[in-house]
Amino acid sequence: MTEQIVDIIEGVMPGPQGVQGPQGVQGLPGVNAVSEDEAIAAAIASDESATWQALRQRGGERIIMLGDSWTAYYGGLLPQKLQQKLGAQWVKNYGVSGAQLTQMANSQVTRALADPSARHPTAIVIVGGTNNIFNGTQTRRDIIEQTEELCEKVMGAWPGAPVHLFPNMPRTPNQGFNFMYSELITRATNAGVSVHVESLWLPMYRDCMFYRQDSNDRENLQHLTRSGYQYFAGIIAAAIHGSSEYLKTDSVCYAALQRYGEHDFPAASALSRSDLVIPNVGKSRLIFEVGAGGVTLHFDCSAISWARDIDSSVGSPTAADRYAMLKLCTLPEKGADSTTYDSGVKYLPFPPTRPVFGTACAWSARRPKYHGTLMVYPGQYGVTGFEICIDKGDTTSAWETFSQIAFTAAYPLAFDNI
């Protein structure tokens, strides 16, 4: 039959009425006026062509999404926005609120495989991790085993389909367990999954601007706003298209500070001596900027006072005192009773993994007076510690008056701090 059709197009067989001529075949007017390739191309390209419409429906991304409440919040807003941004044929979401990695590996994969409308995905998107890390109840071994199981199950279910993992993080405290993310990232990467760690930077983006803050309910504080999920969908869509948004601008978080020894943590005995204090710590500015894989700190305060001992009377240093110390830390994520939770505080998500060093300067009337050094180091329960040393340079001259201290430091963005 195929040969017969070709023969008719080429004009070597008579048409239905037995009439043959160079301008066409009776019954097939004008078919052989153009080449075979041109005729087929024109038929497919026509907007009204059923062939073209069918081909369009078969094109586009087909995404299977696994995850936790971030995929289910606002009636599945994230997968809906992702489908719009990708122009995807479909995005099938099997994420469930509260799900951990092991539920994604088993029940969610099983549901997706049993869904006849979710055949032949072009990519798998996983949004999760926070439910394994948030409450600090799982061990490092738990994270390793669940991550490896998830990667094995997903890649076995859809061999050849690219797998993208977007770890998520609330702005609520996780008791300093950010280091668990290192295992999630490392194990998934080793398994061949594309891990997009920029999703962990969202708390930094313009100081948690995309996180819900309209209610102190802990459930709300764990999730993004509607605009936040739309923004997050853009990050996912960019990654699937082969690019990535690293949040290089406006990734800034302002952290609250306290003096060592306050609120029973860290213990006053750990670093009891402090020559300098900030009279009102709340008015100081501690800015954390995240970008291009690193964290940069900027600190400035409006006033400095002398305190010979953190728990005793205020006094001025002598000429023999060459150095002055200022010791601060970010607020702990929980108090000494292990239950305190302040929903109004924005917690710093990325302390350094080990001590890092920077520079400091004591100022007065916008003029530098003394230079010094800064040490930034990780503490328990998410605390980031700061030890600033101002150097007068000798043990003979009197201290000049200064009223401000500024410091800066930078360190790589990493997660494993033990």
Side-chain angles (χ1 to χ4, degrees):
M1 182 64 182
T2 302
E3 294 177 355
Q4 189 178 36
I5 293 174
V6 172
D7 289 339
I8 292 174
I9 292 175
E10 292 179 348
V12 300
M13 282 187 62
Q17 304 300 320
V19 179
Q20 179 178 325
Q23 299 303 315
V25 178
Q26 187 173 346
L28 293 173
V31 168
N32 65 341
V34 295
S35 69
E36 177 183 354
D37 288 344
E38 291 181 56
I40 294 173
I44 292 176
S46 172
D47 289 342
E48 292 77 22
S49 166
T51 303
W52 173 244
Q53 296 297 333
L55 288 173
R56 286 191 64 186
Q57 291 177 8
R58 289 177 61 85
E61 301 284 352
R62 299 180 297 277
I63 308 297
I64 285 178
M65 179 175 283
L66 313 174
D68 52 29
S69 58
W70 279 39
T71 69
Y73 215 65
Y74 297 121
L77 181 65
L78 179 62
Q80 294 169 27
K81 292 298 181 182
L82 178 60
Q83 183 170 358
Q84 294 174 9
K85 291 180 179 295
L86 285 174
Q89 184 177 342
W90 47 256
V91 175
K92 302 290 183 179
N93 175 35
Y94 304 94
V96 177
S97 294
Q100 297 184 359
L101 300 177
T102 188
Q103 283 83 42
M104 300 173 201
N106 294 287
S107 60
Q108 293 185 24
V109 168
T110 300
R111 285 173 51 216
L113 289 173
D115 187 348
S117 67
R119 295 289 184 260
H120 309 297
T122 58
I124 314 299
V125 171
I126 304 171
V127 178
T130 187
N131 287 323
N132 293 79
I133 297 168
F134 172 70
N135 289 316
T137 58
Q138 294 194 355
T139 65
R140 185 183 289 267
R141 175 51 54 183
D142 293 329
I143 302 297
I144 292 173
E145 292 178 351
Q146 290 195 34
T147 301
E148 292 179 343
E149 179 190 30
L150 174 61
C151 296
E152 180 182 358
K153 293 287 182 67
V154 169
M155 301 179 81
W158 299 283
V163 182
H164 300 269
L165 170 62
F166 296 85
N168 54 0
M169 177 185 287
R171 76 174 181 92
T172 46
N174 62 19
Q175 302 174 30
F177 278 82
N178 278 349
F179 67 86
M180 291 291 194
Y181 282 106
S182 66
E183 295 294 358
L184 177 64
I185 294 166
T186 301
R187 303 293 166 164
T189 301
N190 289 346
V193 172
S194 297
V195 183
H196 304 276
V197 296
E198 58 266 32
S199 59
L200 293 176
W201 300 17
L202 278 169
M204 289 288 206
Y205 186 78
R206 294 189 183 179
D207 203 23
C208 301
M209 72 165 292
F210 281 140
Y211 282 76
R212 290 195 61 171
Q213 301 182 48
D214 56 318
S215 170
N216 286 335
D217 181 82
R218 196 173 189 180
E219 173 74 10
N220 287 338
L221 298 174
Q222 292 175 293
H223 297 101
L224 306 182
T225 62
R226 290 181 180 273
S227 296
Y229 284 115
Q230 180 168 339
Y231 183 81
F232 188 30
I235 294 176
I236 298 175
I240 292 176
H241 281 157
S243 60
S244 184
E245 182 173 347
Y246 280 93
L247 306 178
K248 292 182 179 179
T249 60
D250 298 317
S251 300
V252 175
C253 181
Y254 299 90
L257 289 172
Q258 69 177 43
R259 291 170 56 187
Y260 271 102
E262 291 185 326
H263 308 309
D264 298 323
F265 186 87
S269 59
L271 289 169
S272 59
R273 180 176 172 81
S274 180
D275 298 311
L276 296 168
V277 296
I278 303 175
N280 189 338
V281 176
K283 291 184 179 180
S284 61
R285 286 168 52 87
L286 179 60
I287 307 171
F288 292 81
E289 295 186 55
V290 174
V295 179
T296 302
L297 306 177
H298 303 283
F299 172 82
D300 194 6
C301 60
S302 58
I304 290 286
S305 295
W306 289 99
R308 297 301 295 168
D309 189 279
I310 198 168
D311 293 320
S312 63
S313 61
V314 176
S316 298
T318 66
D321 295 317
R322 176 175 174 176
Y323 302 102
M325 303 294 296
L326 173 64
K327 298 170 183 176
L328 304 167
C329 68
T330 58
L331 293 176
E333 293 186 350
K334 64 178 183 178
D337 58 0
S338 299
T339 59
T340 301
Y341 174 71
D342 182 359
S343 60
V345 174
K346 302 183 184 74
Y347 291 88
L348 171 67
F350 305 121
T353 59
R354 58 187 58 85
V356 296
F357 299 90
T359 59
C361 185
W363 294 74
S364 179
R366 299 183 180 180
R367 296 176 62 87
K369 293 290 186 180
Y370 301 109
H371 294 284
T373 59
L374 162 73
M375 182 173 67
V376 186
Y377 52 93
Q380 291 179 300
Y381 303 113
V383 163
T384 303
F386 307 90
E387 187 170 317
I388 302 98
C389 177
I390 300 300
D391 185 1
K392 180 162 62 71
D394 59 55
T395 57
T396 57
S397 63
W399 281 89
E400 295 186 36
T401 302
F402 61 91
S403 57
Q404 294 176 285
I405 286 182
F407 64 70
T408 185
Y411 52 87
L413 177 61
F415 302 95
D416 196 345
N417 59 0
I418 61 172

